[in-house]
Amino acid sequence: MISILDQFEQGVESTFKIAPTSKQSLDESFDRDEDLRGVPILSKKKVNFSPSDKITQLLVSNEYVVLAMVNNVLLRINLKQDNIEEIDTLKTSSLKVKQLFLDPFGEHLLISCGNITSSQLFYATKQLSKLKPVGKYQGSEITSVAWNCDRRVKSTSSTTGPILLGNSSGAIIETQLGTEFDRFFQGSVVQYWKEVFDISKGQPIPIIGLQYHRVGKSDLFYILAITPTKLYQFVDFIFNKDERPMLQQIFNNYLTIPERFYEVPTLVKHGKLHFYFLNNDFTVPKYFGFLTELGVFVAEVDINKDEKTIFSSHELIEYSRLYGRDDDDFTVPLSMTFTRYHVLLLFPERVIAVSLVAPADRNASQVMDEDYCSDSHGRLLNITKDLMTGTIWLYAERAVFRYKMIKEDRHVWKVYLDKGMFEEAKEICISNPYRMNQVLVRQAEHFFNSKQYENSALIYANLNVSFEEIVLKFLHLNEKKPIKLFLMKKLDSLKSHDYTKITMVTLWLIELFSNELAVLRNYKQGKPQEYAMLQESFQNFLSRPIIQDCIRKNWESIYDILASHGDVNFMIWLALENQDYKRVIQHYLNEENIAEALTLLDNHPFSELFYTYSSDLVEKAPAQTVSILIKQGQKLDPLKVINTLIIPNPSERLALEIIRYLEYSIHCLNCHVESVHNYLISLYIKHNKEKLMNYLKLQGREITAVSYNPEFALRLCREHQLGEACVQLSIVLGLWEAAVDLALTVSVDLAKTTASLPNNNMELSKKLWLKIAQYVVKQNNDIEQAMRFLEECKFIKIEDILPFFPDFVTIDHFKDAVCSSLEEYNKDIQSLKEEMEDATKSAEVIRSEILSFRNGYMLIQPSNECSSCQEQLVTKAFYTFPCSHCFHADCLIKEMQPYVDPSTITTIKDLQNQLSVLYQNNKDITQSLELISRRDKVKESLDKLLAAECFFCGEIMISLIDKPFIEDADFENIKQEWE
């Protein structure tokens, strides 16, 4: 079975479908709403429902339908579940259904019934299928109900919350109904019932419409009530929402003041109060209205809590003007309801939609859409709206219809555009790029024509229009701020691949900023705050990532722009922001601002900066520059730094600072580069000779240990006649004789110190001391000093220096030396005699031992075994040793084979073969004697190789003490065998 809702949706979709579209560009002037041409705004479809009798009333709330028929039958239809339920009816009652009141959530229903003599009010809920009489109700007919539209009440279906009832006598009653009050022995559904206000003032007048709402989440409430000729407004705060009756707090403020109302044209007999809420939010009312005899009264809700009013202005859409006529020949509508931009009016034979936004002159109001109905369904009765879903319902006596609004705002945006209501137009066109572009173009033109150039520039920047055209418009202006705003906004819309456009716009903006700063700097010096703000804005602009990238690629052009305006400070700031420290340091150097250059170098220690600018900085500020270099430590390569510190003919102050850094590099950074040490030596020689000797002594005398070039250092020292340093360097080079010769030119003590250094070479030391002695005797003629050399040097004797004395020298000068020398010789002779006697005795002992060994022997028993093969020893040729080890000759060769040279084994085997041959050739006596002699020699040679020492006790076995018992290659196999 097809539900009412499904049937309606299928019918509408078959009438109108928009095919999905791909992405269209604005250049194609595509308007996605063009397909709606010819499609009416109102789309009507009859629902699949046939009433059993004529319908008299129908209400819809939250897809919940309640209708009454002529036969007093009430039906409830749940559209979500497609369920039709008949309410406990009044078929047998004499009362007739006068009016139905259904709350916006479809939870609660009030039925006003009556006849000529009495009236009755019934209450029902969605869960109850039986009507409950409202027990306290009596008197006048209920003509209007103001439901509690607070969504929090919707969470419970058992109570209505505080509601207002208006009756035909002008009284306003506050009550609260619900099934939770219908307890046992208490059949009432009323929690409380109280008349809170009386509009009639003694003259009965029906309340046609009644509504109350809360303003957002505040404590402010407003109540609207209409009578046939008056509109009442009640506005005030309710601070105690638990007090009952709650709304009495508002009405109390109006009891003691004169009656306040708004005169309106006489309402039609069947008129109702209608509200429209944005997005179905009952806290955000847009406008309200009702039908009068002359036209539709429409007012936009504008709460003023101070003046206690609900609206500030209103409009009357006159019926006579709907078709452009100015006469009294018109028909009054039967009913009305609101949509977002239209008011729908129900006439006896048709429904028309009248725009609420166009035209601006309400006296020229006209029909925007019209839908005619057939007479076959009976007389049209009413048009109503489901406030929760926004669905519009139309019912006649025999049929029910649903309306669907198809793109209601399709023409509204043009109306807003013509009226200059651009924000409203943009809100409608937000999903249509083509129309949005048209609106923005018109808005930008409007701003430009009204001299709101900055607003115009911001909009133009986002439009798909000619860049050149817009730029030319702003270039003609005296103000430069609009074009600057346009370019900045345009820059935001560019993609990263639009590199050329980005570069052009960026350079242009930099030119504009620079020009503005220059004007303020040169002509408006009395505005420092304005200048600072503009400078900060410029800095923020240049700090943007997309600008940073452009700056890195267009350094020179940007610096040229800044330089053309003389903005040095900004050039420095920009260079610092982009880490172009080279440019900044070079600028400081050109300006002789050394302190700033050093500060920048200290704060941004990039090694390349030091290598580039150290030479310039150290000449102008030696101490500060060297201190910063030392502060960097190992971050810098000393060799590269020193290359920058090599300055021809440096001043004394500069040279000392360079020496300070070189010493730091050598002692703290352990720099052993030869060129660094050579440079230090050259500076020592020229500017600090005192430290030269300390340095040379610290380096040592070994030529392989020193870090400098000795030949280079020696050449420089000779050029500057530094004798002591030359001596030290000659020693390093191993030129001892030259060192002593140079030392003698300085002092004899230095020569003696030099001669005493080679302690391990007696001959050299003696030769050096003789040089000194010869110099002292021949040059100084100081025989006493020469004699003292004999005491200082053990290697020199009196006879070594005698040739140096002149012929006229008497023996008295060196008598003591000669005597001491003779005594020493005598001692030496005595010691030699003793040594000879000891040697003779030792020889005698050795000779006797040799003789004893020749006569020695060992007793071999038949049971003795070979120490190698453990077999009987005497079965083969064998060797025996004093240590008692015995070996067969073959076993001894086998044991020795792995541990002696292959050539030795070959020799042994050759000797064995020779010996065997000699034994076989022993035939006659004469020949035997020769063979015996040869055999003895061969045997002696073989014994020397085999029997020189015991294999187990000799050097071979001792040398094998660190050899493992198991070879590495066999270890794993043996390990597995044992496992």
Side-chain angles (χ1 to χ4, degrees):
M1 178 179 177
I2 300 178
S3 69
I4 297 174
L5 182 61
D6 292 338
Q7 181 213 31
F8 172 75
E9 295 294 341
Q10 292 175 5
V12 172
E13 290 175 2
S14 63
T15 304
F16 172 70
K17 287 186 179 180
I18 300 178
T21 60
S22 60
K23 183 179 178 181
Q24 291 85 12
S25 67
L26 295 177
D27 294 336
E28 297 171 346
S29 300
F30 178 82
D31 186 357
R32 65 180 62 182
D33 292 334
E34 285 298 316
D35 291 340
L36 295 175
R37 290 182 179 179
V39 177
I41 294 176
L42 289 174
S43 178
K44 181 184 67 179
K45 191 70 176 179
K46 182 178 180 297
V47 298
N48 185 22
F49 172 72
S50 298
S52 59
D53 206 337
K54 290 182 179 181
I55 300 173
T56 58
Q57 293 188 60
L58 180 144
L59 294 176
V60 184
S61 291
N62 199 17
E63 296 197 357
Y64 196 79
V65 180
V66 177
L67 62 86
M69 292 181 286
V70 173
N71 58 4
N72 263 12
V73 173
L74 272 69
L75 296 181
R76 293 191 298 190
I77 305 173
N78 189 338
L79 299 177
K80 296 178 181 178
Q81 301 177 359
D82 199 17
N83 180 35
I84 300 177
E85 177 187 5
E86 183 176 325
I87 306 177
D88 182 19
T89 61
L90 304 170
K91 291 181 182 179
T92 60
S93 174
S94 62
L95 299 175
K96 294 292 183 181
V97 176
K98 296 286 188 177
Q99 290 195 65
L100 300 177
F101 304 98
L102 183 63
D103 79 309
F105 307 109
E107 299 286 350
H108 306 279
L109 173 67
L110 284 175
I111 306 169
S112 178
C113 301
N115 52 29
I116 298 174
T117 59
S118 64
S119 297
Q120 182 66 47
L121 184 65
F122 293 93
Y123 170 74
T125 66
K126 185 184 292 188
Q127 287 75 24
L128 290 176
S129 59
K130 184 178 181 180
L131 297 180
K132 293 283 187 177
V134 179
K136 290 189 177 183
Y137 171 73
Q138 59 182 353
S140 304
E141 175 189 347
I142 296 299
T143 55
S144 60
V145 176
W147 294 102
N148 187 333
C149 293
D150 194 337
R151 288 183 180 270
R152 288 173 294 183
V153 179
K154 182 179 183 297
S155 61
T156 172
S157 60
S158 60
T159 179
T160 61
I163 62 174
L164 296 176
L165 307 178
N167 63 19
S168 58
S169 300
I172 299 177
I173 302 162
E174 180 176 344
T175 184
Q176 183 169 347
L177 308 177
T179 56
E180 64 182 21
F181 313 125
D182 185 13
R183 300 182 181 91
F184 193 63
F185 298 118
Q186 182 181 348
S188 177
V189 295
V190 180
Q191 181 186 15
Y192 67 90
W193 182 284
K194 184 176 182 180
E195 181 178 322
V196 292
F197 200 78
D198 187 3
I199 291 176
S200 66
K201 304 298 182 182
Q203 296 180 358
I205 183 170
I207 299 177
I208 298 176
L210 187 62
Q211 291 267 3
Y212 88 88
H213 294 282
R214 182 179 181 179
V215 180
K217 296 181 179 180
S218 68
D219 295 325
L220 185 65
F221 286 75
Y222 64 91
I223 303 170
L224 199 63
I226 58 172
T227 65
T229 58
K230 297 176 182 178
L231 173 61
Y232 293 85
Q233 307 173 70
F234 305 92
V235 180
D236 214 327
F237 291 93
I238 295 179
F239 297 105
N240 186 1
K241 300 177 184 60
D242 296 326
E243 181 182 339
R244 296 293 183 268
M246 182 183 74
L247 299 170
Q248 180 74 63
Q249 301 174 61
I250 297 177
F251 289 111
N252 286 341
N253 298 321
Y254 290 86
L255 295 176
T256 58
I257 63 175
E259 187 178 23
R260 298 175 61 181
F261 57 85
Y262 188 85
E263 292 282 356
V264 296
T266 304
L267 272 69
V268 297
K269 184 179 179 182
H270 45 273
K272 297 292 181 184
L273 180 61
H274 300 272
F275 268 76
Y276 177 79
F277 302 91
L278 289 174
N279 304 319
N280 300 328
D281 186 352
F282 299 122
T283 63
V284 188
K286 178 65 176 174
Y287 36 75
F288 68 90
F290 46 83
L291 295 176
T292 70
E293 294 179 348
L294 298 179
V296 183
F297 182 96
V298 180
E300 189 167 351
V301 176
D302 183 16
I303 308 297
N304 189 323
K305 61 182 179 181
D306 297 324
E307 298 183 4
K308 298 186 182 302
T309 58
I310 299 175
F311 65 97
S312 56
S313 62
H314 73 280
E315 296 174 306
L316 187 66
I317 304 176
E318 298 181 9
Y319 307 132
S320 61
R321 304 283 181 168
L322 292 179
Y323 292 94
R325 299 193 303 269
D326 190 9
D327 53 43
D328 296 333
D329 185 15
F330 59 83
T331 303
V332 178
L334 301 176
S335 180
M336 64 165 285
T337 190
F338 284 118
T339 64
R340 177 65 179 86
Y341 301 105
H342 297 83
V343 56
L344 301 184
L345 302 178
L346 173 64
F347 289 90
E349 74 285 351
R350 67 188 184 279
V351 175
I352 67 172
V354 180
S355 174
L356 293 174
V357 296
D361 183 6
R362 284 297 176 196
N363 291 326
S365 299
Q366 58 182 344
V367 176
M368 304 301 295
D369 208 340
E370 191 168 4
D371 183 27
Y372 288 89
C373 299
S374 173
D375 294 335
S376 60
H377 304 303
R379 182 168 55 90
L380 294 178
L381 299 178
N382 198 358
I383 187 168
T384 186
K385 181 179 180 181
D386 186 342
L387 294 179
M388 292 294 293
T389 63
T391 306
I392 298 168
W393 294 78
L394 171 67
Y395 61 94
E397 293 176 331
R398 294 290 185 181
V400 179
F401 304 90
R402 286 182 67 177
Y403 277 103
K404 186 171 184 180
M405 303 293 289
I406 302 175
K407 198 62 180 175
E408 181 186 4
D409 57 4
R410 67 180 73 171
H411 304 302
V412 176
W413 70 279
K414 292 182 180 179
V415 177
Y416 283 148
L417 193 60
D418 294 336
K419 294 169 66 175
M421 301 171 66
F422 301 110
E423 296 304 320
E424 290 81 356
K426 285 191 288 186
E427 183 181 351
I428 296 173
C429 300
I430 192 169
S431 60
N432 191 318
Y434 170 72
R435 290 183 176 179
M436 178 64 80
N437 195 65
Q438 285 185 302
V439 174
L440 291 174
V441 169
R442 287 280 295 276
Q443 187 179 20
E445 291 175 352
H446 169 76
F447 284 141
F448 190 87
N449 295 332
S450 59
K451 296 185 179 181
Q452 300 181 49
Y453 301 120
E454 294 179 15
N455 292 334
S456 177
L458 292 175
I459 296 175
Y460 270 129
N462 292 322
L463 297 180
N464 187 25
V465 293
S466 171
F467 178 82
E468 295 79 3
E469 179 184 347
I470 304 304
V471 166
L472 289 174
K473 293 182 72 168
F474 288 111
L475 282 176
H476 292 302
L477 302 176
N478 293 328
E479 296 182 58
K480 298 303 178 186
K481 190 174 182 180
I483 191 170
K484 187 174 72 173
L485 288 175
F486 170 75
L487 293 174
M488 292 185 70
K489 195 70 176 178
K490 196 69 177 178
L491 187 64
D492 294 336
S493 64
L494 295 176
K495 305 299 182 182
S496 58
H497 58 78
D498 297 327
Y499 174 70
T500 304
K501 294 180 181 179
I502 292 173
T503 303
M504 180 191 68
V505 174
T506 300
L507 295 178
W508 196 346
L509 283 169
I510 291 174
E511 171 66 30
L512 291 173
F513 271 111
S514 300
N515 185 63
E516 282 189 81
L517 288 170
V519 170
L520 290 175
R521 190 168 54 249
N522 299 328
Y523 304 105
K524 298 181 181 181
Q525 297 181 359
K527 297 183 178 181
Q529 186 176 2
E530 183 180 352
Y531 182 83
M533 291 178 61
L534 181 60
Q535 193 173 43
E536 182 180 1
S537 177
F538 192 18
Q539 290 175 353
N540 293 336
F541 169 73
L542 294 176
S543 300
R544 295 165 60 181
I546 190 172
I547 306 301
Q548 291 285 316
D549 183 64
C550 182
I551 290 174
R552 283 190 291 270
K553 297 176 181 178
N554 299 275
W555 277 114
E556 298 301 327
S557 300
I558 293 170
Y559 281 124
D560 289 344
I561 293 173
L562 295 174
S564 65
H565 293 279
D567 200 343
V568 176
N569 292 333
F570 220 93
M571 290 176 63
I572 294 174
W573 176 87
L574 180 61
L576 291 175
E577 284 295 308
N578 291 275
Q579 299 185 356
D580 187 9
Y581 302 119
K582 287 186 178 180
R583 190 180 296 271
V584 180
I585 293 176
Q586 188 62 54
H587 168 75
Y588 287 144
L589 290 174
N590 295 338
E591 298 293 324
E592 296 293 330
N593 194 346
I594 307 303
E596 289 293 336
L598 288 172
T599 302
L600 178 62
L601 199 62
D602 190 18
N603 295 333
H604 303 281
F606 292 100
S607 57
E608 291 301 325
L609 297 177
F610 288 97
Y611 303 148
T612 304
Y613 296 105
S614 292
S615 59
D616 294 328
L617 292 171
V618 79
E619 287 190 70
K620 298 175 181 178
Q624 297 91 326
T625 304
V626 170
S627 297
I628 293 175
L629 290 173
I630 291 175
K631 181 180 177 181
Q632 303 310 309
Q634 296 181 347
K635 296 178 182 178
L636 301 178
D637 184 353
L639 185 59
K640 292 184 179 180
V641 174
I642 292 166
N643 288 337
T644 66
L645 300 181
I646 298 176
I647 299 172
N649 302 319
S651 64
E652 187 73 16
R653 176 165 165 259
L654 176 57
L656 292 177
E657 292 299 330
I658 296 175
I659 288 173
R660 182 159 70 98
Y661 181 76
L662 293 175
E663 289 175 341
Y664 168 78
S665 300
I666 292 171
H667 300 313
C668 298
L669 301 181
N670 297 321
C671 179
H672 299 289
V673 179
E674 184 179 284
S675 58
V676 175
H677 287 260
N678 291 343
Y679 188 34
L680 179 61
I681 289 174
S682 67
L683 293 176
Y684 276 153
I685 291 172
K686 294 178 181 179
H687 302 282
N688 199 340
K689 298 180 177 62
E690 293 78 9
K691 288 188 175 182
L692 176 61
M693 286 308 300
N694 293 333
Y695 169 80
L696 293 176
K697 290 177 182 178
L698 186 64
Q699 286 286 307
R701 300 192 304 271
E702 294 294 329
I703 192 170
T704 57
V706 298
S707 300
Y708 58 88
N709 187 329
E711 289 87 353
F712 169 78
L714 181 59
R715 179 173 58 80
L716 289 181
C717 290
R718 283 178 176 174
E719 289 177 0
H720 293 80
Q721 298 179 356
L722 301 177
E724 188 174 357
C726 290
V727 172
Q728 181 69 22
L729 292 169
S730 297
I731 292 173
V732 172
L733 292 170
L735 304 176
W736 290 97
E737 295 184 28
V740 171
D741 292 338
L742 289 171
L744 289 172
T745 61
V746 177
S747 69
V748 175
D749 291 337
L750 178 60
K752 292 188 323 184
T753 303
T754 303
S756 63
L757 293 177
N759 294 325
N760 297 328
N761 194 334
M762 187 184 301
E763 292 296 327
L764 176 60
S765 182
K766 181 178 181 180
K767 188 174 182 180
L768 298 178
W769 279 101
L770 287 176
K771 270 184 172 291
I772 299 172
Q774 183 179 6
Y775 174 82
V776 170
V777 173
K778 290 186 176 181
Q779 297 294 331
N780 297 343
N781 198 20
D782 190 349
I783 299 174
E784 294 182 0
Q785 187 178 13
M787 291 298 101
R788 288 197 294 271
F789 285 173
L790 299 178
E791 299 175 0
E792 296 177 12
C793 182
K794 299 178 182 180
F795 310 124
I796 300 178
K797 306 297 180 182
I798 184 62
E799 60 271 23
D800 295 326
I801 62 173
L802 283 177
F804 305 143
F805 294 135
D807 297 336
F808 57 84
V809 176
T810 61
I811 196 171
D812 294 335
H813 293 88
F814 46 87
K815 178 175 63 176
D816 294 336
V818 171
C819 292
S820 62
S821 179
L822 292 174
E823 289 177 359
E824 288 181 5
Y825 280 129
N826 187 38
K827 291 179 181 179
D828 292 341
I829 291 171
Q830 292 298 326
S831 63
L832 287 173
K833 285 182 178 180
E834 292 175 358
E835 289 178 1
M836 291 176 63
E837 290 178 357
D838 292 338
T840 301
K841 291 178 181 180
S842 298
E844 291 295 334
V845 172
I846 292 171
R847 190 177 296 110
S848 63
E849 288 179 355
I850 292 173
L851 291 175
S852 65
F853 273 117
R854 285 181 179 179
N855 299 324
Y857 64 91
M858 288 185 65
L859 182 62
I860 302 300
Q861 299 293 336
S863 60
N864 287 5
E865 296 178 348
C866 175
S867 298
S868 176
C869 67
Q870 308 301 322
E871 293 182 359
Q872 194 171 2
L873 183 64
V874 295
T875 57
K876 299 180 183 179
F878 63 89
Y879 289 93
T880 184
F881 296 93
C883 61
S884 75
H885 285 123
C886 302
F887 298 93
H888 291 135
D890 295 338
C891 292
L892 185 59
I893 294 172
K894 184 177 179 181
E895 290 287 348
M896 293 177 60
Q897 187 171 356
Y899 308 108
V900 298
D901 296 336
S903 59
T904 302
I905 298 299
T906 303
T907 303
I908 291 173
K909 290 183 178 180
D910 289 342
L911 292 175
Q912 282 184 322
N913 292 334
Q914 291 180 25
L915 191 62
S916 177
V917 172
L918 289 174
Y919 274 117
Q920 292 177 0
N921 294 333
N922 189 8
K923 294 180 179 180
D924 53 52
I925 297 176
T926 303
Q927 191 175 8
S928 297
L929 293 174
E930 296 176 358
L931 290 174
I932 290 172
S933 176
R934 289 176 57 192
R935 185 183 63 191
D936 291 340
K937 290 181 180 180
V938 173
K939 191 173 183 300
E940 184 179 358
S941 299
L942 183 61
D943 290 343
K944 287 181 179 181
L945 294 177
L946 291 177
E949 59 182 354
C950 176
F951 176 75
F952 285 171
C953 302
E955 292 183 1
I956 293 176
M957 191 57 64
I958 293 173
S959 64
L960 297 177
I961 193 169
D962 60 344
K963 186 176 181 180
F965 293 107
I966 301 174
E967 296 292 339
D968 293 341
D970 301 331
F971 180 78
E972 292 297 330
N973 295 333
I974 295 174
K975 180 180 177 181
Q976 292 178 0
E977 291 177 0
W978 279 89
E979 290 177 352

